[in-house]
C-alpha cells in the first residue's frame, strides 16, 4: 500500500524552508500531491500558499529542503533539464498573464511555438481544439482586453494545457470572479481533470471552490502546514483555525 502511494506521488516536498532576505516565510514544509487528485493549498491571505506554489515551479529557490515533481528533484536541476521537465507542467497564474498586444489564439499558441517544431496549420488546429475545450473557440481572434475576467481565465487555461501536461498548477483561479463565473470555472477544471487525466494543485482561499473541487487539502497557517488530508477530514479536523476558515469563508 505504501509503495502504491509513493508511485502516485506526483508532487513531493520535504523539509522546505524559504524566505526573502533575512525573513523566513515557509517553515519546514512537507506535503504530497497524488496523481489524479485535485490537491488544494488553502489558508488565510498571507499564510504563504502562493509563495509555496512559486517554489514548486522554481520561480523561487528554497534555502533548504527537497521538491520533487514526477519523482525528480528540481532544486538541483540545471536550467535545460528543468525547462524540459517544465513542459510537463501547466501553470494558470492569478492574473492570467496573457499578452494584450496579440490575439487569444496567438497567446494560446506560444508554448507550441516555443517548444515544438509543428507546422503553423497544425498549431492553429490544436489551438482551436483547446479553446473549444474551455468553451472559448468563439473568441480566438479577440484581444485579451476585449474579454471578461472569466473569459480571460479560460483563455489562460487553454494556454496552460496546450502541451497536454499531466500536472496543472493554478494560483487563485477564482480571484476577481463573481460566484457564478467562479463555479463555472471550477466545473471546467474538474471536467479537464476527468477528460485529460490531469493532476491539479490549486491555491485558493475561496471556501465554495474548495468544497466543489478538492480531493485533498493542505491547510497553511503562518508559513507552516497545519493540516493535510481529505476535504472531509479537514472539515471535521477539530482544529479551531480550520473550522473557523470554513465557517467564515
Amino acid at each position: 500500500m505504501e509503495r502504491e502511494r509513493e508511485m502516485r506521488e506526483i508532487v513531493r516536498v520535504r523539509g522546505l524552508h524559504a524566505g526573502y532576505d533575512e525573513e523566513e516565510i515557509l517553515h519546514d514544509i512537507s506535503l504530497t500531491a497524488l496523481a489524479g487528485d485535485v490537491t488544494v493549498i488553502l489558508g488565510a491571505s498571507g499564510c504563504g500558499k502562493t509563495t509555496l506554489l512559486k517554489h514548486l515551479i522554481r520561480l523561487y529557490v528554497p534555502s533548504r529542503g527537497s521538491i520533487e515533481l514526477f519523482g525528480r528533484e528540481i532544486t538541483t536541476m540545471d536550467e535545460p533539464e528543468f525547462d524540459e521537465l517544465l513542459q510537463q507542467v501547466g501553470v494558470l497564474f492569478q492574473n492570467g498573464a496573457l499578452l494584450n498586444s496579440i490575439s487569444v489564439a496567438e497567446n494560446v499558441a506560444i508554448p507550441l511555438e516555443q517548444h515544438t517544431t509543428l507546422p503553423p496549420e497544425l498549431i492553429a488546429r490544436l489551438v482551436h481544439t483547446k479553446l473549444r475545450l474551455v468553451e472559448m473557440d468563439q473568441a480566438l481572434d479577440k484581444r485579451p482586453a476585449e474579454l471578461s475576467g472569466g473569459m480571460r481565465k479560460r483563455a489562460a487555461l487553454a494556454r496552460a494545457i496546450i502541451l497536454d501536461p499531466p500536472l496543472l498548477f493554478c494560483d487563485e483561479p477564482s480571484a476577481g470572479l463573481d460566484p457564478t463565473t467562479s463555479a463555472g470555472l471550477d466545473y471546467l477544471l474538474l471536467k479537464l481533470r476527468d477528460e485529460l487525466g490531469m493532476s491539479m494543485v490549486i491555491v485558493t482561499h475561496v471556501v465554495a471552490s474548495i468544497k466543489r473541487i478538492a480531493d485533498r487539502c493542505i491547510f497553511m497557517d503562518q508559513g507552516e502546514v497545519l493540516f493535510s488530508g481529505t476535504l472531509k477530514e479537514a472539515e471535521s479536523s477539530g482544529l479551531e483555525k480550520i473550522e473557523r476558515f470554513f465557517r467564515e469563508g
Side-chain angles (χ1 to χ4, degrees):
M1 192 68 158
E2 184 63 28
R3 175 59 178 163
E4 180 182 344
R5 178 184 172 86
E6 288 179 1
M7 291 176 66
R8 287 191 64 209
E9 290 179 352
I10 198 165
V11 179
R12 180 183 174 97
V13 179
R14 290 292 179 269
L16 183 71
H17 293 258
Y20 311 113
D21 299 323
E22 299 301 315
E23 181 184 8
E24 187 171 86
I25 305 296
L26 302 178
H27 320 293
D28 196 24
I29 299 290
S30 293
L31 60 89
T32 58
L34 303 182
D37 280 358
V38 175
T39 301
V40 174
I41 302 173
L42 60 147
S45 179
C47 69
K49 55 189 184 292
T50 292
T51 298
L52 172 59
L53 179 64
K54 289 179 178 179
H55 281 82
L56 297 181
I57 56 176
R58 217 166 81 161
L59 289 179
Y60 298 150
V61 178
S63 54
R64 54 194 165 102
S66 168
I67 303 173
E68 294 181 8
L69 302 182
F70 311 107
R72 299 171 64 186
E73 178 63 50
I74 69 168
T75 61
T76 55
M77 281 184 178
D78 60 27
E79 286 302 321
E81 187 180 10
F82 181 68
D83 286 345
E84 182 179 354
L85 179 71
L86 206 56
Q87 294 178 41
Q88 301 179 63
V89 175
V91 182
L92 177 61
F93 293 101
Q94 182 173 336
N95 63 4
L98 298 172
L99 300 177
N100 286 318
S101 60
I102 58 178
S103 70
V104 166
E106 289 169 320
N107 269 282
V108 176
I110 289 173
L112 290 171
E113 293 169 345
Q114 290 181 336
H115 300 296
T116 76
T117 57
L118 296 174
E121 59 272 16
L122 182 52
I123 288 178
R125 199 150 61 238
L126 290 171
V127 166
H128 187 267
T129 297
K130 285 299 191 293
L131 284 170
R132 186 170 65 246
L133 190 60
V134 300
E135 301 169 5
M136 280 291 294
D137 50 315
Q138 79 284 0
L140 57 89
D141 292 322
K142 293 183 180 294
R143 300 290 176 93
E146 300 176 76
L147 306 178
S148 67
M151 293 173 74
R152 284 195 296 273
K153 289 287 179 74
R154 286 173 180 258
L157 181 57
R159 185 180 61 187
I161 65 172
I162 192 66
L163 293 175
D164 292 320
L167 175 61
L168 178 68
F169 290 108
C170 302
D171 185 17
E172 298 283 6
S174 297
L177 303 181
D178 63 79
T180 300
T181 304
S182 175
L185 184 61
D186 289 338
Y187 293 129
L188 175 59
L189 288 170
L190 292 175
K191 172 187 170 184
L192 295 176
R193 188 271 305 268
D194 295 339
E195 291 188 4
L196 302 181
M198 299 174 68
S199 308
M200 298 183 181
V201 176
I202 298 176
V203 165
T204 184
H205 68 281
V206 180
V207 172
S209 287
I210 294 164
K211 291 183 175 182
R212 278 191 291 264
I213 65 177
D215 294 308
R216 298 186 62 80
C217 295
I218 296 166
F219 190 94
M220 293 191 64
D221 180 62
Q222 297 182 350
E224 298 179 346
V225 173
L226 186 62
F227 170 87
S228 178
T230 66
L231 174 61
K232 185 177 180 180
E233 290 168 344
E235 292 180 305
S236 60
S237 67
L239 297 172
E240 172 58 26
K241 286 186 177 180
I242 298 178
E243 288 185 352
R244 186 168 64 247
F245 177 87
F246 279 106
R247 185 170 62 246
E248 298 177 356

